[in-house]
Structures are given as C-alpha cells and as structure tokens.
Amino acid sequence: GENVEQHPSTLSVQEGDSAVIKCTYSDSASNYFPWYKQELGKRPQLIIDIRSNVGEKKDQRIAVTLNKTAKHFSLHITETQPEDSAVYFCAASTGNQFYFGTGTSLTVIP
Amino acid sequence: EAGVAQSPRYKIIEKRQSVAFWCNPISGHATLYWYQQILGQGPKLLIQFQNNGVVDDSQLPKDRFSAERLKGVDSTLKIQPAKLEDSAVYLCASSSRLAGGGNEQFFGPGTRLTVL
C-alpha cells in the first residue's frame, strides 16, 4: 500500500517568515494530494489540495507544489501569522483511499 | 451545506466495556471513512464504505471492532471489549467524487474516547 512520510515533525518560525513542510509518497498511482490543518481539539480541515496533473497551486498565503517524478509534494506558507499555529497533515490518495502523513506541529512565534 | 455529524463527542469507559459511535455523513456522499487518531499521530484508516459496502477494512481489529452502514447513509462503529490502547479520537469522514478524479474528504468533529 501507499506510504506517506512527512517532515519535519515540528517547526517553529517567527511571525512573518515562511514555513515549508515536505511529504513523500511511494505509490505512483496516487493522484490527489490534500493538506489538512488541525487545531488542538478540532477536526482536520482541508486547506489546499493538488491533483497529479498540476505542478503547483496557490491560494493567498498558501501554496502546494508537486513533483511526480520524485514523488514528493510540499506545503508553503508565506507571511506566517500566529493563527497558522496548528498541526498540518499531508495525505496521498489513489482516488478513493487516503493515506496520511504523521503530521507537522507548526508554531508561529509572535 | 451541513457537515459530517458525529456523536457522542466524548466518552469515558472502563476497559472491557463496550462503546458505539455514530456518524452521519454529508448528504449525497457515497464514501464514508472511520479513522482512529491517537494523540500526536495522523489519522489511521479503520474502515471505508462505498454506499453500504466495505471497500477496505484491512486495518480494523476485527476481534473487537465492528462497523456497519446498513442503509448507505449513517454508520456506527463499535468496540467490544475496549482496551486501554483504544483511547483515541475516532474521526468519521465522507467524500464526494471530484470532476476529473480524486475525492475531497471532509471530517466530522470526532469522538474522544478514554478507556480507563
């Protein structure tokens, strides 16, 4: 089955700096890559996603890049704010099933 | 549109007791997932339904866990008997097929289970 690895497990940045979280996957059949933000005690919320026919997608301060050849994808958050502090999960999907990374705890220091 | 609903939100039981969780997916979503999320970890798929059929239950501990989705809408997940290591948040999610392939998945608020 699919194996998704996520790095780093923890990340601290100063407010206003950028944050990058990276994931790798193993199954070349995976074609959909969502990113979720989970605040303490709350449900995972989809923040951005990308499909395998696209190399990059941007939504305001958040962007995701995908390298199908290398089987890795990354989340980029620019101009970080304290409210960006949360755990972020990447996932890879073959079209029906989802495989999650282990999460990155992001702390934005005011 | 209404989101994924789950109940109860919290449950505390003693080991060897039984517990059941309920999930109501987003209207029209054919696929329903149950995940177990242990503190500090990512969601782990327990079982996936497509309508009322099981797509994947390979990681479901079938000696103690069971799930059903009889009418292809609501679902229940049961643990009998519970063990200490079952303490976790149980997340239900549902998804719809995206045009061009892939599914967008939405999560419910989860049920936090504590086994004493």
Side-chain angles (χ1 to χ4, degrees):
Chain A
E2 175 65 278
N3 180 42
V4 178
E5 295 190 356
Q6 183 172 347
H7 300 280
S9 56
T10 60
L11 179 61
S12 292
V13 298
Q14 292 288 334
E15 182 177 358
D17 287 351
S18 295
V20 180
I21 303 170
K22 299 181 179 180
C23 288
T24 61
Y25 62 99
S26 60
D27 190 344
S28 57
S30 291
N31 58 13
Y32 176 63
F33 306 91
W35 284 89
Y36 292 87
K37 175 183 180 182
Q38 188 174 29
E39 297 177 61
L40 189 64
K42 297 189 177 180
R43 75 188 79 185
Q45 296 270 18
L46 179 69
I47 55 171
I48 195 167
D49 55 14
I50 192 168
R51 295 182 220 176
S52 58
N53 60 347
V54 175
E56 184 174 357
K57 184 177 178 181
K58 189 173 182 180
D59 182 4
Q60 299 182 345
R61 298 187 295 108
I62 296 173
V64 57
T65 58
L66 171 65
N67 183 326
K68 286 175 56 180
T69 303
K71 294 194 186 69
H72 67 71
F73 55 112
S74 300
L75 177 71
H76 304 253
I77 306 174
T78 58
E79 301 172 24
T80 54
Q81 301 169 3
E83 51 265 38
D84 294 330
S85 296
V87 178
Y88 291 81
F89 292 98
C90 64
S93 174
T94 55
N96 209 14
Q97 295 163 315
F98 288 78
Y99 300 88
F100 284 82
T102 49
T104 296
S105 178
L106 173 65
T107 302
V108 179
I109 303 166
Chain B
E1 72 183 356
V4 178
Q6 287 187 250
S7 67
R9 293 294 312 278
Y10 305 92
K11 190 72 177 179
I12 301 174
I13 61 173
E14 295 188 348
K15 60 183 179 183
R16 290 188 291 274
Q17 286 187 323
S18 302
V19 65
F21 313 129
W22 173 83
C23 173
N24 180 240
I26 292 173
S27 178
H29 282 194
T31 308
L32 184 147
Y33 311 79
W34 282 104
Y35 291 92
Q36 180 191 60
Q37 187 176 26
I38 293 172
L39 187 64
Q41 299 181 17
K44 171 188 147 185
L45 180 68
L46 292 176
I47 188 166
Q48 177 183 340
F49 292 94
Q50 182 76 18
N51 296 309
N52 61 350
V54 175
V55 173
D56 183 357
D57 64 356
S58 58
Q59 297 192 86
L60 186 73
K62 298 180 184 64
D63 57 334
R64 298 183 301 106
F65 287 65
S66 64
E68 60 183 15
R69 194 185 184 199
L70 293 175
K71 296 182 180 179
V73 181
D74 294 5
S75 177
T76 56
L77 175 70
K78 297 180 182 178
I79 308 175
Q80 179 180 11
K83 292 186 176 181
L84 297 176
E85 58 261 36
D86 298 333
S87 294
V89 174
Y90 290 84
L91 293 164
C92 179
S94 68
S95 69
S96 62
R97 177 69 63 172
L98 293 168
N103 288 347
E104 185 171 352
Q105 185 174 217
F106 297 90
F107 285 88
T111 297
R112 183 176 298 277
L113 174 66
T114 302
V115 182
L116 303 176

